[in-house]
Amino acid sequence: MASRLRRALLAALVTASVVVPLVGAAGPGEVPAPKPVALGPVSVGGLQERYAVNREGIRAAERMAARHGDRRRAAALRKMREPGRHFLSFDGRDGGRAVEVYGDLGRARRIAVLVPGSDTGMETYARLRNGALALRQRLGEEAAVVSWLGYKTPGTVGPEVLTTGRADGAAPRLDAFVRELHAAKPRARISLLCHSYGSVVCARAARGLEAEDIVLYGSPGTGYDDAGQLHTRATVWAGRGRGDWIGGVPHVRVPLLVTTVGFGTDPVSRRFGARIFDAGDAGHSDYLTPGSAALASMSRIVEGRHA
């Protein structure tokens, strides 16, 4: 009986710690969108054609959203198809998927792939884009940044954000994308920057991943006890800002009847064994803010320098 009470209490603590700070956040809406055109693997020579095909796909999704009466989604898609925006893939169905490039991918010697966390979708995509642009500006002309919204992120308010379920589904797609990117750019240095729930996705994809670095920031945990369990050749980094509320999340894993709640060991703890970088005073959504210590640290990691 005591064991059951303890498990129930820990589960309640995890739920309260994750959900309460962002009560009222909305998940992605179910807005109809066309099936995307099937595209082959990413290739440097075919980038411009790929960008053009996806721009038309975004335009078609915008029309469907407008006919559906969702003006907010239509407005977000209108911005996404503006001249100068480059998407490696786009699928507006089931909340939306998008992979966007910032910089010249064909000439890039260093590539940073941003993997976002909960409540990231078409309507909130600007937050991901702003962070990617800040990182790209910091890195300079020889680097490209890719924002990988390749999965349906969990809502901050909901049970899925407390388990590895969405991450388990996303991990094979992230692994396949990074392999494709590595094949197209075999000499480029690839780093994954994984925010919040995105750090769970990266951890599930880590085994065999074609990357030099896996950077966990604002992470609630990974579902693993330590970095060694990721079985990756990449250097695993972790950082948390002093202003990030996620530092108060209990680092536990609670087995329930049909799932396990929580993500275990704190990634910035000595026990986890990641290399720690300075994230300054960053709040949960502030890591890629221009001028921040966290942005400077992660830029140095992408460049292959010590943070």
Side-chain angles (χ1 to χ4, degrees):
M1 179 64 71
S3 177
R4 290 179 183 176
L5 287 173
R6 179 175 177 274
R7 289 184 180 184
L9 177 60
L10 287 174
L13 284 171
V14 172
T15 302
S17 295
V18 174
V19 173
V20 169
L22 289 176
V23 166
E30 299 302 328
V31 181
K35 183 178 180 180
V37 175
L39 297 171
V42 172
S43 66
V44 171
L47 287 176
Q48 296 307 316
E49 181 180 357
R50 194 180 189 97
Y51 296 155
V53 168
N54 285 313
R55 184 173 295 110
E56 288 307 307
I58 295 169
R59 188 190 303 275
E62 178 196 337
R63 293 194 193 104
M64 287 191 73
R67 287 198 297 268
H68 184 69
D70 194 321
R71 288 183 289 181
R72 185 183 178 201
R73 172 69 64 88
L77 293 172
R78 191 175 308 117
K79 290 182 179 180
M80 292 176 75
R81 67 171 175 81
E82 289 176 347
R85 303 211 36 190
H86 300 138
F87 286 85
L88 290 174
S89 64
F90 174 82
D91 186 347
R93 300 171 300 172
D94 191 29
R97 315 283 189 275
V99 181
E100 187 173 8
V101 175
Y102 309 83
D104 189 340
L105 185 61
R107 297 185 179 184
R109 297 174 58 187
R110 296 178 295 277
I111 302 171
V113 179
L114 299 184
V115 181
S118 61
D119 282 321
T120 306
M122 297 297 96
E123 290 84 358
T124 59
Y125 187 82
R127 299 182 310 194
L128 179 60
R129 172 175 168 77
N130 289 341
L133 288 170
L135 179 61
R136 169 65 174 75
Q137 184 173 16
R138 176 86 190 195
L139 290 171
E141 295 298 320
E142 292 189 341
V145 176
V146 178
S147 56
W148 186 84
L149 179 56
Y151 74 114
K152 185 175 182 178
T153 65
T156 303
V157 179
E160 289 144 331
V161 78
L162 303 174
T163 74
T164 64
R166 289 284 175 91
D168 290 334
R173 293 193 288 273
L174 177 59
D175 176 69
F177 172 72
V178 175
R179 288 180 185 276
E180 195 174 320
L181 193 59
H182 176 73
K185 297 285 298 180
R187 296 185 179 181
R189 189 180 197 282
I190 299 174
S191 301
L192 269 65
L193 276 57
C194 317
H195 179 237
S196 194
Y197 190 87
S199 66
V200 187
V201 177
C202 289
R204 308 314 264 192
R207 185 189 291 266
L209 201 65
E210 297 284 355
E212 297 300 321
D213 305 286
I214 297 175
V215 183
L216 314 174
Y217 62 106
S219 174
T222 62
Y224 294 105
D225 294 332
D226 56 62
Q229 291 184 354
L230 274 60
H231 298 290
T232 179
R233 69 175 184 83
T235 301
V236 180
W237 299 82
R240 180 184 301 130
R242 288 182 287 274
D244 191 342
W245 58 261
I246 212 164
V249 170
H251 295 285
V252 297
R253 299 188 75 220
V254 184
L256 301 177
L257 288 176
V258 295
T259 189
T260 296
V261 172
F263 302 110
T265 309
D266 187 347
V268 299
S269 68
R270 181 175 295 180
R271 177 187 170 195
F272 189 76
R275 295 188 65 174
I276 305 302
F277 67 89
D278 177 20
D281 296 322
H284 193 63
S285 301
D286 302 334
Y287 288 87
L288 296 178
T289 299
S292 68
L295 178 62
S297 293
M298 288 191 281
S299 297
R300 287 194 289 271
I301 293 170
V302 173
E303 291 169 345
R305 299 188 285 141
H306 292 294

